[in-house]
Amino acid sequence: MKRTRIAHVLAEGQPGETHQVCGWVRTRRDSKQGFSFIELNDGSSMQGLQIVVDADVPGFEEIHKLITTGASLRLVGKLQESPGKGQRVEMVASEIELYGTADADTYPLQKKRHSFEFLREIAHLRPRTNTFGAITRVRNILSAGIHEFFQTRGFQYIQTPVITTSDCEGAGEMFQVTTLNLERIAQIQTEIDFNQDFFGRKASLTVSGQLEAEIFACAIGECYTFGPTFRAENSNTTRHLAEFWMIEPEMPFYDLNDNMELAEEFIQFLMKAVLEKAPDDMQFFNDRIENTVLETVKQIAETPFERVPYTEAIEILTSSGEKFEYPVKWGNDLQSEHERFLTEKHFKKPIILFDYPRTIKPFYMRCNDDGKTVRAMDVLVPRIGEIIGGSQREERLDVLENRMRECDLNPDDYWWYLDLRRFGTVPHSGFGLGFERIVQLVTGMQNIRDCIPFPRTPKNAAF
Ligand code: 4AD
Ligand code: MG
């Protein structure tokens, strides 16, 4: 007999049907009449299946006491209408098999609330909790939604390298990749000769797939990457990870306005996808994690985003009368407190800031004629702040070369990137969406470390 997943039983199962289900025990309650109620969960839905097991089910007596929270079971039974509240059907077991026990004294996930800090220490077990089951399912819906969004619009999915020799964002926050025996080298010489290294030069984990995506955009047209990126920034915040996933679409013949339009449509599409495909999980987040999350997600899905030049945002901030920890000054990067003030308090909706000072943005952004700003855009949303960073790209060879020198990059190192401008250059644009930040937005989770299965942060790479 085939196994039916519990989500399917709950949604479509009819009284009288026989099913086989497998999963982990959430609770067992014994009745005085000699039968037990087991709530079984297999991760396919928030809700578990209620199963009634009579004392005369073969083998039940012997295993009865071992059926504790966390134990794994296989059950076969007939569905019946449930007299209890909260579920449409329940199962009356005719067969039961115990796969594995979970000792009640040592199994860490007993049926009480655990702090998210504690759950991070048992990241191998936390997917079994309601919260992490829901996060995982929503993450999956978002992943599928991302591909659906781009695939239905004719974008090609491309894979860009994880190991690279270029620093796209130019922030020098890269993890080095080497096969050199650094301990030995430290004992015998003072300098490292990277010619001797695996790639014959210094290599790192990528901070972004953008530069390679541009190569493909300027050949096959609209494309996108969706992969892991790495940043060795020592920021212990609730919105930074050392390893995170990023979605980076790149589009030829798009100017900054086209880019902003696509970013807005993309975010709104993803908000609608989770509302439509994960109503139970979203209700759970709203009830148990953050009671504004449904309203926020619905509002983002429906409200047009405000577009504001950086310079105007600075004026709003300086005349707001609000006390900020970090000073607001034209030419400074915005801190998360500034971003959140603008989106949460001032505009009360998502905003796209554009035309940032060139001195705080990477080399590849298109320079405006004012000589001071570049065609950058950041999408800011309530609770998170920056969720997307993007720009129109500098397509003029001479301007780009000058910008590289200005940013202390050697144009020779980026000869292939410059070739895109040397041969058949076109105006083009793109952006990057932080995947865990959008998971954080829709789940209402406080900390981004709980929005990825196994977080990597300074001093932490367990599991
Ligand atoms: O603004 P960023 O640095 O832009 C880029 O990497 C461009 N190459 C994108 C492009 O134009 N193709 O990063 C993009 C997004 C941010 O807006 C944020 O959502 C996320 O990536 N992000 C992080 N998420 C988690 N942890 C970190 N340390 C992050 N750094 C950036
Ligand atoms: Mg950014």
Side-chain angles (χ1 to χ4, degrees):
M1 189 183 215
K2 268 200 177 158
R3 174 172 72 100
T4 316
R5 303 214 58 192
I6 286 171
H8 184 81
V9 175
L10 292 173
E12 321 234 338
Q14 294 302 324
E17 290 174 0
T18 300
H19 287 274
Q20 170 167 277
V21 293
C22 301
W24 293 267
V25 175
R26 282 293 170 80
T27 54
R28 188 198 82 218
R29 276 188 300 119
D30 296 333
S31 77
K32 292 201 185 74
Q33 291 82 358
F35 54 86
S36 299
F37 291 108
I38 294 173
E39 192 201 328
L40 198 73
N41 193 293
D42 68 359
S44 58
S45 60
M46 171 65 61
Q47 212 187 343
L49 179 63
Q50 160 130 299
I51 303 168
V52 190
V53 192
D54 216 324
D56 60 10
V57 171
F60 180 54
E61 240 184 271
E62 292 88 90
I63 61 171
H64 174 244
K65 289 284 173 235
L66 299 173
I67 302 173
T68 53
T69 301
S72 47
L73 293 179
R74 180 183 69 83
L75 291 130
V76 178
K78 216 177 233 181
L79 301 185
Q80 67 175 23
E81 252 172 63
S82 176
K85 268 219 303 242
Q87 71 250 331
R88 198 174 50 84
V89 288
E90 60 183 29
M91 178 181 270
V92 182
S94 53
E95 237 182 82
I96 185 165
E97 180 186 351
L98 176 68
Y99 284 131
T101 57
D103 177 45
D105 292 331
T106 51
Y107 184 57
L109 284 182
Q110 294 305 324
K111 204 172 160 70
K112 60 167 186 142
R113 279 243 201 161
H114 300 285
S115 75
F116 292 126
E117 287 77 13
F118 170 69
L119 289 175
R120 261 171 241 147
E121 290 169 17
I122 51 164
H124 60 306
L125 296 174
R126 70 177 186 172
R128 297 185 190 186
T129 62
N130 279 337
T131 305
F132 286 89
I135 295 168
T136 307
R137 286 186 295 271
V138 162
R139 219 180 130 97
N140 178 58
I141 286 167
L142 287 169
S143 304
I146 285 158
H147 286 295
E148 186 190 340
F149 179 83
F150 289 119
Q151 293 294 327
T152 52
R153 283 164 182 75
F155 283 60
Q156 311 276 329
Y157 173 39
I158 58 162
Q159 294 76 33
T160 49
V162 168
I163 299 175
T164 176
T165 54
S166 48
D167 181 359
C168 175
E169 296 307 299
E173 293 164 337
M174 303 186 81
F175 288 101
Q176 208 175 311
V177 173
T178 180
T179 50
L180 293 173
N181 186 335
L182 300 178
E183 280 169 23
R184 238 183 93 75
I185 291 174
Q187 287 166 359
I188 53 178
Q189 59 196 72
T190 48
E191 273 195 17
I192 294 176
D193 177 10
F194 285 102
N195 289 317
Q196 305 298 319
D197 204 349
F198 190 90
F199 298 104
R201 56 197 288 199
K202 219 172 160 171
S204 307
L205 297 177
T206 190
V207 296
S208 159
Q210 176 194 325
L211 302 187
E212 291 90 353
E214 284 188 49
I215 296 177
F216 277 83
C218 296
I220 57 160
E222 284 83 340
C223 61
Y224 67 105
T225 70
F226 183 1
T229 49
F230 308 85
R231 297 200 185 172
E233 46 191 339
N234 204 356
S235 27
N236 256 312
T237 79
T238 53
R239 287 166 310 105
H240 287 88
L241 291 164
E243 176 178 304
F244 63 99
W245 287 61
M246 187 159 44
I247 300 95
E248 294 183 275
E250 191 69 34
M251 298 76 66
F253 318 113
Y254 270 50
D255 66 13
L256 191 71
N257 281 318
D258 302 327
N259 204 23
M260 293 198 268
E261 230 163 78
L262 185 77
E264 177 172 338
E265 200 187 331
F266 181 40
I267 301 267
Q268 292 192 321
F269 178 92
L270 294 177
M271 297 300 110
K272 287 178 195 144
V274 289
L275 289 171
E276 189 189 316
K277 295 184 178 155
D280 293 352
D281 291 330
M282 289 305 295
Q283 192 59 52
F284 171 85
F285 292 129
N286 204 68
D287 294 343
R288 306 288 286 272
I289 303 292
E290 165 65 57
N291 64 12
T292 58
V293 79
L294 267 179
E295 191 191 319
T296 306
V297 170
K298 279 185 191 146
Q299 199 222 11
I300 297 174
E302 284 155 16
T303 323
F305 297 6
E306 191 79 28
R307 297 183 190 180
V308 193
Y310 165 92
T311 303
E312 202 180 306
I314 293 294
E315 283 158 16
I316 294 170
L317 288 166
T318 43
S319 57
S320 68
E322 188 86 5
K323 286 251 177 308
F324 295 113
E325 193 184 335
Y326 293 90
V328 178
K329 200 175 124 224
W330 199 98
N332 284 3
D333 214 350
L334 293 184
Q335 299 296 320
S336 136
E337 55 172 345
H338 309 135
E339 295 176 343
R340 292 187 58 177
F341 173 82
L342 289 168
T343 170
E344 288 169 15
K345 293 208 182 135
H346 189 83
F347 290 103
K348 299 189 172 66
K349 58 177 159 174
I351 57 177
I352 311 183
L353 294 191
F354 62 95
D355 285 349
Y356 278 75
R358 65 198 266 171
T359 48
I360 55 169
K361 290 292 183 186
F363 72 93
Y364 53 73
M365 297 188 176
R366 194 178 198 281
C367 294
N368 282 317
D369 293 340
D370 62 11
K372 294 194 306 194
T373 59
V374 287
R375 300 245 82 187
M377 59 162 224
D378 277 7
V379 180
L380 316 181
V381 291
R383 277 193 41 249
I384 309 292
E386 178 191 344
I387 196 158
I388 279 181
S391 70
Q392 184 170 338
R393 316 308 189 191
E394 182 54 76
E395 85 284 9
R396 297 161 296 184
L397 180 63
D398 52 334
V399 183
L400 184 56
E401 283 175 329
N402 284 336
R403 267 295 280 158
M404 283 183 162
R405 288 189 201 99
E406 203 176 282
C407 295
D408 284 328
L409 296 173
N410 183 354
D412 293 343
D413 292 342
Y414 293 83
W415 61 273
W416 49 271
Y417 187 71
L418 292 167
D419 266 3
L420 302 178
R421 279 71 183 168
R422 209 169 268 126
F423 309 118
T425 191
V426 292
H428 63 288
S429 300
F431 61 80
L433 168 71
F435 189 46
E436 286 70 27
R437 293 218 179 149
I438 199 152
V439 174
Q440 196 177 0
L441 173 69
V442 302
T443 58
M445 294 299 290
Q446 277 296 317
N447 198 316
I448 198 166
R449 296 167 197 215
D450 302 323
C451 298
I452 186 165
F454 304 103
R456 269 83 183 96
T457 49
K459 304 276 181 288
N460 170 36
F463 308 100

